[in-house]
Amino acid sequence: MVSFYRGGGKGKGKDHDDDCGGGGMPCFTPGVRLATKRGALAVEDLRPGDMLQTADNGYQPVLWVGRRDLTPAELDLMPELRPIKIRPDSPLGNSGAILVSPQHRFFIRRALLGDLSSLRESFLRARLICQVAPQTASVQTTDRGISYLHVLTPRHEVIFADGVATETLWPGPMALRGLSARDQHELFTLFPDLEAVMTAGASRKIDDDRALVRSAYGALARPDLTGADLRALNFKPQ
């Protein structure tokens, strides 16, 4: 049984930025409000220097905000990038609907169980919430396209969006490759060593790329549950 929660506790873990299948990166959509030192701000209004409230490290500065606009035609070609809607009063505890990218992670707590008993606190991606709680989350179609916004802090953090514990951007290999050339340039200006991920040869393994990201930027703030983890835990739809 999965229980969703709003924060507390520290722990680093494995990073699986593409083990769940699908493409893209963890992103918010316009209108999602993040907890900052100035109060709740819409993600599209954030600027570098704004201070985000985090679960572990007090207020941390926004270093960079990126944006990717996808047209309806692009979403038709890449349906795996269609947004996920988390409905109000879900087990996450959100009071209003939250629209995020499929790979966006939410913070969960679950009982000790099996070989994963050490993972008392974990991230679970929106697309996997669709599987374990289909009445709570679903893929959305739109004839207007979608805008995704990415928020980077000095290291990966647990933050709060509309009262729910979630994440900042972790610039994993698939996330980096999903950025525009302009956004990649801006990110590599902040963290030059990340550029090595983009120059990888075809023979290099994804785990090697993740190791480069951990060295250049840092690890995920919590372990990241994958579809395989859920199957091992024998999760059932709620």
Side-chain angles (χ1 to χ4, degrees), residues 14-215:
K14 297 183 296 180
D15 36 78
H16 296 278
D17 73 310
D18 56 347
D19 282 357
C20 299
M25 65 190 70
C27 317
F28 299 102
T29 60
V32 174
R33 297 174 66 82
L34 304 186
T36 78
K37 203 167 188 177
R38 296 193 287 130
L41 294 180
V43 62
E44 65 269 27
D45 294 333
L46 286 179
R47 297 293 181 269
D50 280 328
M51 303 297 288
L52 289 175
Q53 181 184 350
T54 75
D56 302 324
N57 299 299
Y59 289 100
Q60 291 295 312
V62 173
L63 295 183
W64 175 79
V65 180
R67 180 172 180 138
R68 182 179 181 184
D69 298 313
L70 295 172
T71 66
E74 288 173 317
L75 291 174
D76 285 341
L77 288 173
M78 299 177 287
E80 70 276 9
L81 298 183
R82 288 174 179 157
I84 303 289
K85 182 179 182 180
I86 311 293
R87 287 187 274 279
D89 301 319
S90 77
L92 287 170
N94 49 305
S95 58
I98 300 177
L99 197 65
V100 296
S101 67
Q103 298 287 34
H104 196 87
R105 301 175 181 95
F106 290 95
F107 205 22
I108 65 167
R109 174 183 292 159
R110 59 179 177 73
L112 299 180
L113 187 60
D115 292 337
L116 300 177
S117 61
S118 63
L119 304 185
R120 297 182 63 92
E121 299 177 348
S122 306
F123 284 122
L124 188 64
R125 296 172 187 269
R127 67 182 303 275
L128 292 180
I129 295 175
C130 289
Q131 297 180 26
V132 300
Q135 81 287 358
T136 290
S138 59
V139 177
Q140 300 294 293
T141 58
T142 173
D143 57 3
R144 297 184 178 181
I146 193 72
S147 295
Y148 286 135
L149 293 109
H150 338 296
V151 179
L152 188 78
T153 48
R155 58 182 170 183
H156 193 238
E157 297 284 0
V158 177
I159 60 171
F160 301 93
D162 291 326
V164 174
T166 183
E167 65 165 338
T168 56
L169 175 67
W170 189 72
M174 295 301 291
L176 289 175
R177 294 182 180 111
L179 294 173
S180 68
R182 175 182 175 180
D183 282 351
Q184 287 176 357
H185 175 74
E186 292 177 354
L187 207 57
F188 297 154
T189 299
L190 293 169
F191 294 94
D193 290 345
L194 284 175
E195 191 167 5
V197 176
M198 304 301 296
T199 59
S203 62
R204 194 162 75 192
K205 296 180 179 179
I206 189 69
D207 284 344
D208 295 331
D209 287 342
R210 293 188 187 115
L212 281 174
V213 175
R214 288 194 297 270
S215 175

